[in-house]
Amino acid sequence: MSDAPCWRPRVPAAAVLRHDRARGTDVLLLPERVVVLHGSGRAVLDLCDGSHTVDEIADLLSAGVDTPRVRHEVSSFLHRLRTEGCLR
């Protein structure tokens, strides 16, 4: 995406992040949709408040360890959710 370096992802106001005890995992609840989160998905989305760029989110989560890999994974995850209409 051409705006990738500047994009500051945010979870839509209509969405809710919560732990689903029945599934035993965190979920992103959207109108008529549930996205089951795995691994660090919740930690990534907790930072999607519109104030951080994708690279900033990856840097915060990587703690300096294998930052290029973390940036790639975070970027792929967020862009996939954006394409599916789960992020703004």
Side-chain angles (χ1 to χ4, degrees), residues 40-74:
S40 59
R42 173 67 186 257
V44 172
L45 292 181
D46 281 341
L47 294 169
C48 291
D49 59 4
S51 67
H52 305 287
T53 65
V54 174
D55 283 348
E56 290 169 343
I57 291 169
D59 289 345
L60 288 167
L61 294 172
S62 72
V65 178
D66 203 4
T67 302
R69 182 183 61 81
V70 173
R71 278 188 180 178
H72 174 73
E73 290 176 2
V74 167

mmCIF file of all heavy atoms in Angstrom, residues 40-74:
data_model
loop_
_atom_site.group_PDB
_atom_site.id
_atom_site.type_symbol
_atom_site.label_atom_id
_atom_site.label_comp_id
_atom_site.label_asym_id
_atom_site.label_seq_id
_atom_site.Cartn_x
_atom_site.Cartn_y
_atom_site.Cartn_z
ATOM 1 N N SER A 40 0.535 -13.134 19.395
ATOM 2 C CA SER A 40 0.589 -11.759 19.893
ATOM 3 C C SER A 40 -0.443 -10.855 19.219
ATOM 4 O O SER A 40 -0.344 -9.631 19.308
ATOM 5 C CB SER A 40 1.994 -11.198 19.685
ATOM 6 O OG SER A 40 2.323 -11.221 18.312
ATOM 7 N N GLY A 41 -1.449 -11.438 18.580
ATOM 8 C CA GLY A 41 -2.472 -10.647 17.893
ATOM 9 C C GLY A 41 -3.128 -9.616 18.789
ATOM 10 O O GLY A 41 -3.334 -8.470 18.386
ATOM 11 N N ARG A 42 -3.453 -9.988 20.022
ATOM 12 C CA ARG A 42 -4.082 -9.043 20.952
ATOM 13 C C ARG A 42 -3.126 -7.908 21.293
ATOM 14 O O ARG A 42 -3.522 -6.739 21.331
ATOM 15 C CB ARG A 42 -4.524 -9.778 22.221
ATOM 16 C CG ARG A 42 -5.034 -8.881 23.349
ATOM 17 C CD ARG A 42 -6.347 -8.204 22.958
ATOM 18 N NE ARG A 42 -6.794 -7.245 23.946
ATOM 19 C CZ ARG A 42 -7.760 -7.471 24.819
ATOM 20 N NH1 ARG A 42 -8.357 -8.646 24.870
ATOM 21 N NH2 ARG A 42 -8.138 -6.531 25.654
ATOM 22 N N ALA A 43 -1.862 -8.223 21.534
ATOM 23 C CA ALA A 43 -0.881 -7.183 21.869
ATOM 24 C C ALA A 43 -0.742 -6.187 20.720
ATOM 25 O O ALA A 43 -0.629 -4.981 20.953
ATOM 26 C CB ALA A 43 0.465 -7.817 22.202
ATOM 27 N N VAL A 44 -0.776 -6.688 19.498
ATOM 28 C CA VAL A 44 -0.687 -5.804 18.327
ATOM 29 C C VAL A 44 -1.916 -4.904 18.277
ATOM 30 O O VAL A 44 -1.810 -3.681 18.157
ATOM 31 C CB VAL A 44 -0.556 -6.622 17.019
ATOM 32 C CG1 VAL A 44 -0.653 -5.716 15.802
ATOM 33 C CG2 VAL A 44 0.744 -7.411 17.001
ATOM 34 N N LEU A 45 -3.100 -5.488 18.404
ATOM 35 C CA LEU A 45 -4.327 -4.701 18.291
ATOM 36 C C LEU A 45 -4.515 -3.737 19.454
ATOM 37 O O LEU A 45 -5.135 -2.685 19.291
ATOM 38 C CB LEU A 45 -5.532 -5.620 18.142
ATOM 39 C CG LEU A 45 -5.595 -6.384 16.820
ATOM 40 C CD1 LEU A 45 -6.831 -7.259 16.750
ATOM 41 C CD2 LEU A 45 -5.543 -5.439 15.636
ATOM 42 N N ASP A 46 -3.983 -4.074 20.621
ATOM 43 C CA ASP A 46 -4.046 -3.138 21.751
ATOM 44 C C ASP A 46 -3.326 -1.830 21.429
ATOM 45 O O ASP A 46 -3.652 -0.788 21.993
ATOM 46 C CB ASP A 46 -3.442 -3.761 23.011
ATOM 47 C CG ASP A 46 -4.381 -4.728 23.716
ATOM 48 O OD1 ASP A 46 -5.613 -4.671 23.473
ATOM 49 O OD2 ASP A 46 -3.894 -5.543 24.523
ATOM 50 N N LEU A 47 -2.356 -1.872 20.527
ATOM 51 C CA LEU A 47 -1.605 -0.673 20.135
ATOM 52 C C LEU A 47 -2.214 0.046 18.930
ATOM 53 O O LEU A 47 -1.725 1.095 18.513
ATOM 54 C CB LEU A 47 -0.151 -1.044 19.834
ATOM 55 C CG LEU A 47 0.655 -1.524 21.046
ATOM 56 C CD1 LEU A 47 1.989 -2.112 20.603
ATOM 57 C CD2 LEU A 47 0.852 -0.393 22.037
ATOM 58 N N CYS A 48 -3.279 -0.515 18.384
ATOM 59 C CA CYS A 48 -3.925 0.072 17.204
ATOM 60 C C CYS A 48 -4.996 1.076 17.631
ATOM 61 O O CYS A 48 -6.199 0.845 17.498
ATOM 62 C CB CYS A 48 -4.528 -1.026 16.329
ATOM 63 S SG CYS A 48 -3.308 -2.041 15.518
ATOM 64 N N ASP A 49 -4.523 2.220 18.145
ATOM 65 C CA ASP A 49 -5.427 3.264 18.608
ATOM 66 C C ASP A 49 -5.351 4.518 17.741
ATOM 67 O O ASP A 49 -5.891 5.563 18.083
ATOM 68 C CB ASP A 49 -5.123 3.609 20.064
ATOM 69 C CG ASP A 49 -3.697 4.095 20.276
ATOM 70 O OD1 ASP A 49 -2.951 4.251 19.285
ATOM 71 O OD2 ASP A 49 -3.324 4.299 21.447
ATOM 72 N N GLY A 50 -4.655 4.409 16.622
ATOM 73 C CA GLY A 50 -4.525 5.531 15.701
ATOM 74 C C GLY A 50 -3.375 6.463 16.017
ATOM 75 O O GLY A 50 -3.159 7.440 15.304
ATOM 76 N N SER A 51 -2.608 6.166 17.075
ATOM 77 C CA SER A 51 -1.506 7.057 17.427
ATOM 78 C C SER A 51 -0.138 6.514 17.032
ATOM 79 O O SER A 51 0.845 7.246 17.096
ATOM 80 C CB SER A 51 -1.522 7.357 18.932
ATOM 81 O OG SER A 51 -1.226 6.198 19.681
ATOM 82 N N HIS A 52 -0.063 5.240 16.628
ATOM 83 C CA HIS A 52 1.212 4.612 16.260
ATOM 84 C C HIS A 52 1.190 4.164 14.805
ATOM 85 O O HIS A 52 0.181 3.640 14.333
ATOM 86 C CB HIS A 52 1.472 3.353 17.102
ATOM 87 C CG HIS A 52 1.432 3.573 18.569
ATOM 88 N ND1 HIS A 52 2.411 4.234 19.255
ATOM 89 C CD2 HIS A 52 0.519 3.208 19.493
ATOM 90 C CE1 HIS A 52 2.116 4.262 20.532
ATOM 91 N NE2 HIS A 52 0.962 3.659 20.709
ATOM 92 N N THR A 53 2.316 4.328 14.113
ATOM 93 C CA THR A 53 2.442 3.761 12.772
ATOM 94 C C THR A 53 2.677 2.259 12.909
ATOM 95 O O THR A 53 2.977 1.762 14.004
ATOM 96 C CB THR A 53 3.620 4.377 11.991
ATOM 97 O OG1 THR A 53 4.837 4.015 12.642
ATOM 98 C CG2 THR A 53 3.493 5.882 11.860
ATOM 99 N N VAL A 54 2.591 1.551 11.812
ATOM 100 C CA VAL A 54 2.839 0.106 11.809
ATOM 101 C C VAL A 54 4.261 -0.177 12.292
ATOM 102 O O VAL A 54 4.474 -1.063 13.128
ATOM 103 C CB VAL A 54 2.596 -0.495 10.406
ATOM 104 C CG1 VAL A 54 2.986 -1.961 10.366
ATOM 105 C CG2 VAL A 54 1.137 -0.316 10.002
ATOM 106 N N ASP A 55 5.246 0.575 11.818
ATOM 107 C CA ASP A 55 6.628 0.363 12.252
ATOM 108 C C ASP A 55 6.796 0.641 13.742
ATOM 109 O O ASP A 55 7.525 -0.065 14.434
ATOM 110 C CB ASP A 55 7.600 1.229 11.451
ATOM 111 C CG ASP A 55 7.877 0.676 10.059
ATOM 112 O OD1 ASP A 55 7.507 -0.496 9.789
ATOM 113 O OD2 ASP A 55 8.472 1.404 9.249
ATOM 114 N N GLU A 56 6.136 1.669 14.237
ATOM 115 C CA GLU A 56 6.214 1.964 15.679
ATOM 116 C C GLU A 56 5.636 0.830 16.508
ATOM 117 O O GLU A 56 6.188 0.461 17.553
ATOM 118 C CB GLU A 56 5.503 3.277 16.000
ATOM 119 C CG GLU A 56 6.215 4.500 15.472
ATOM 120 C CD GLU A 56 5.401 5.778 15.554
ATOM 121 O OE1 GLU A 56 4.162 5.728 15.729
ATOM 122 O OE2 GLU A 56 6.014 6.842 15.427
ATOM 123 N N ILE A 57 4.530 0.266 16.055
ATOM 124 C CA ILE A 57 3.919 -0.870 16.761
ATOM 125 C C ILE A 57 4.894 -2.035 16.787
ATOM 126 O O ILE A 57 5.121 -2.647 17.839
ATOM 127 C CB ILE A 57 2.574 -1.265 16.105
ATOM 128 C CG1 ILE A 57 1.532 -0.168 16.336
ATOM 129 C CG2 ILE A 57 2.081 -2.612 16.632
ATOM 130 C CD1 ILE A 57 0.271 -0.313 15.519
ATOM 131 N N ALA A 58 5.486 -2.338 15.640
ATOM 132 C CA ALA A 58 6.445 -3.450 15.573
ATOM 133 C C ALA A 58 7.645 -3.188 16.477
ATOM 134 O O ALA A 58 8.107 -4.098 17.185
ATOM 135 C CB ALA A 58 6.900 -3.658 14.134
ATOM 136 N N ASP A 59 8.140 -1.959 16.486
ATOM 137 C CA ASP A 59 9.287 -1.625 17.334
ATOM 138 C C ASP A 59 8.942 -1.789 18.814
ATOM 139 O O ASP A 59 9.755 -2.299 19.590
ATOM 140 C CB ASP A 59 9.765 -0.202 17.063
ATOM 141 C CG ASP A 59 10.441 -0.050 15.718
ATOM 142 O OD1 ASP A 59 10.798 -1.077 15.095
ATOM 143 O OD2 ASP A 59 10.601 1.102 15.268
ATOM 144 N N LEU A 60 7.762 -1.368 19.211
ATOM 145 C CA LEU A 60 7.346 -1.512 20.605
ATOM 146 C C LEU A 60 7.258 -2.981 21.015
ATOM 147 O O LEU A 60 7.576 -3.338 22.152
ATOM 148 C CB LEU A 60 5.991 -0.831 20.833
ATOM 149 C CG LEU A 60 6.011 0.692 20.830
ATOM 150 C CD1 LEU A 60 4.593 1.240 20.747
ATOM 151 C CD2 LEU A 60 6.716 1.202 22.085
ATOM 152 N N LEU A 61 6.825 -3.829 20.091
ATOM 153 C CA LEU A 61 6.650 -5.251 20.410
ATOM 154 C C LEU A 61 7.931 -6.061 20.281
ATOM 155 O O LEU A 61 8.066 -7.106 20.911
ATOM 156 C CB LEU A 61 5.565 -5.856 19.523
ATOM 157 C CG LEU A 61 4.169 -5.295 19.766
ATOM 158 C CD1 LEU A 61 3.210 -5.807 18.708
ATOM 159 C CD2 LEU A 61 3.677 -5.660 21.153
ATOM 160 N N SER A 62 8.874 -5.593 19.482
ATOM 161 C CA SER A 62 10.071 -6.392 19.231
ATOM 162 C C SER A 62 11.111 -6.286 20.334
ATOM 163 O O SER A 62 11.928 -7.201 20.490
ATOM 164 C CB SER A 62 10.722 -5.997 17.908
ATOM 165 O OG SER A 62 11.349 -4.736 18.018
ATOM 166 N N ALA A 63 11.086 -5.197 21.084
ATOM 167 C CA ALA A 63 12.093 -4.964 22.133
ATOM 168 C C ALA A 63 13.506 -5.136 21.575
ATOM 169 O O ALA A 63 14.396 -5.644 22.251
ATOM 170 C CB ALA A 63 11.857 -5.883 23.323
ATOM 171 N N GLY A 64 13.702 -4.767 20.301
ATOM 172 C CA GLY A 64 15.026 -4.830 19.688
ATOM 173 C C GLY A 64 15.472 -6.208 19.245
ATOM 174 O O GLY A 64 16.564 -6.374 18.737
ATOM 175 N N VAL A 65 14.631 -7.212 19.409
ATOM 176 C CA VAL A 65 14.990 -8.582 19.040
ATOM 177 C C VAL A 65 14.378 -8.908 17.681
ATOM 178 O O VAL A 65 13.159 -8.898 17.528
ATOM 179 C CB VAL A 65 14.487 -9.589 20.101
ATOM 180 C CG1 VAL A 65 14.819 -10.997 19.703
ATOM 181 C CG2 VAL A 65 15.069 -9.253 21.453
ATOM 182 N N ASP A 66 15.219 -9.180 16.692
ATOM 183 C CA ASP A 66 14.776 -9.561 15.349
ATOM 184 C C ASP A 66 13.721 -8.592 14.798
ATOM 185 O O ASP A 66 12.686 -9.006 14.291
ATOM 186 C CB ASP A 66 14.267 -10.999 15.344
ATOM 187 C CG ASP A 66 14.333 -11.618 13.956
ATOM 188 O OD1 ASP A 66 14.831 -10.962 13.023
ATOM 189 O OD2 ASP A 66 13.882 -12.768 13.809
ATOM 190 N N THR A 67 13.999 -7.311 14.924
ATOM 191 C CA THR A 67 13.058 -6.269 14.534
ATOM 192 C C THR A 67 12.571 -6.401 13.085
ATOM 193 O O THR A 67 11.379 -6.241 12.836
ATOM 194 C CB THR A 67 13.652 -4.873 14.784
ATOM 195 O OG1 THR A 67 13.993 -4.782 16.176
ATOM 196 C CG2 THR A 67 12.681 -3.776 14.424
ATOM 197 N N PRO A 68 13.437 -6.704 12.095
ATOM 198 C CA PRO A 68 12.924 -6.832 10.718
ATOM 199 C C PRO A 68 11.854 -7.927 10.585
ATOM 200 O O PRO A 68 10.856 -7.735 9.884
ATOM 201 C CB PRO A 68 14.171 -7.170 9.899
ATOM 202 C CG PRO A 68 15.307 -6.627 10.689
ATOM 203 C CD PRO A 68 14.901 -6.796 12.131
ATOM 204 N N ARG A 69 12.059 -9.062 11.243
ATOM 205 C CA ARG A 69 11.063 -10.137 11.178
ATOM 206 C C ARG A 69 9.756 -9.709 11.832
ATOM 207 O O ARG A 69 8.666 -9.929 11.288
ATOM 208 C CB ARG A 69 11.586 -11.402 11.858
ATOM 209 C CG ARG A 69 10.602 -12.580 11.765
ATOM 210 C CD ARG A 69 11.094 -13.811 12.518
ATOM 211 N NE ARG A 69 11.285 -13.578 13.936
ATOM 212 C CZ ARG A 69 10.307 -13.591 14.855
ATOM 213 N NH1 ARG A 69 9.061 -13.807 14.489
ATOM 214 N NH2 ARG A 69 10.576 -13.375 16.125
ATOM 215 N N VAL A 70 9.854 -9.064 12.997
ATOM 216 C CA VAL A 70 8.659 -8.603 13.702
ATOM 217 C C VAL A 70 7.926 -7.564 12.860
ATOM 218 O O VAL A 70 6.701 -7.613 12.737
ATOM 219 C CB VAL A 70 9.016 -8.042 15.097
ATOM 220 C CG1 VAL A 70 7.805 -7.412 15.758
ATOM 221 C CG2 VAL A 70 9.604 -9.138 15.982
ATOM 222 N N ARG A 71 8.663 -6.640 12.239
ATOM 223 C CA ARG A 71 8.027 -5.636 11.377
ATOM 224 C C ARG A 71 7.269 -6.295 10.234
ATOM 225 O O ARG A 71 6.148 -5.893 9.908
ATOM 226 C CB ARG A 71 9.063 -4.677 10.807
ATOM 227 C CG ARG A 71 9.446 -3.593 11.748
ATOM 228 C CD ARG A 71 10.318 -2.566 11.076
ATOM 229 N NE ARG A 71 10.647 -1.531 12.055
ATOM 230 C CZ ARG A 71 11.423 -0.525 11.796
ATOM 231 N NH1 ARG A 71 11.969 -0.400 10.597
ATOM 232 N NH2 ARG A 71 11.677 0.364 12.720
ATOM 233 N N HIS A 72 7.871 -7.293 9.616
ATOM 234 C CA HIS A 72 7.208 -8.002 8.517
ATOM 235 C C HIS A 72 5.927 -8.686 9.002
ATOM 236 O O HIS A 72 4.880 -8.580 8.370
ATOM 237 C CB HIS A 72 8.160 -9.020 7.893
ATOM 238 C CG HIS A 72 7.502 -9.876 6.869
ATOM 239 N ND1 HIS A 72 7.148 -9.412 5.616
ATOM 240 C CD2 HIS A 72 7.097 -11.170 6.927
ATOM 241 C CE1 HIS A 72 6.546 -10.380 4.945
ATOM 242 N NE2 HIS A 72 6.513 -11.454 5.719
ATOM 243 N N GLU A 73 6.015 -9.392 10.128
ATOM 244 C CA GLU A 73 4.852 -10.120 10.639
ATOM 245 C C GLU A 73 3.734 -9.174 11.077
ATOM 246 O O GLU A 73 2.563 -9.405 10.773
ATOM 247 C CB GLU A 73 5.266 -11.036 11.780
ATOM 248 C CG GLU A 73 6.101 -12.211 11.303
ATOM 249 C CD GLU A 73 6.600 -13.096 12.441
ATOM 250 O OE1 GLU A 73 6.277 -12.836 13.620
ATOM 251 O OE2 GLU A 73 7.335 -14.055 12.136
ATOM 252 N N VAL A 74 4.093 -8.102 11.786
ATOM 253 C CA VAL A 74 3.090 -7.140 12.225
ATOM 254 C C VAL A 74 2.452 -6.464 11.018
ATOM 255 O O VAL A 74 1.226 -6.336 10.941
ATOM 256 C CB VAL A 74 3.717 -6.100 13.190
ATOM 257 C CG1 VAL A 74 2.783 -4.913 13.403
ATOM 258 C CG2 VAL A 74 4.070 -6.748 14.520
#
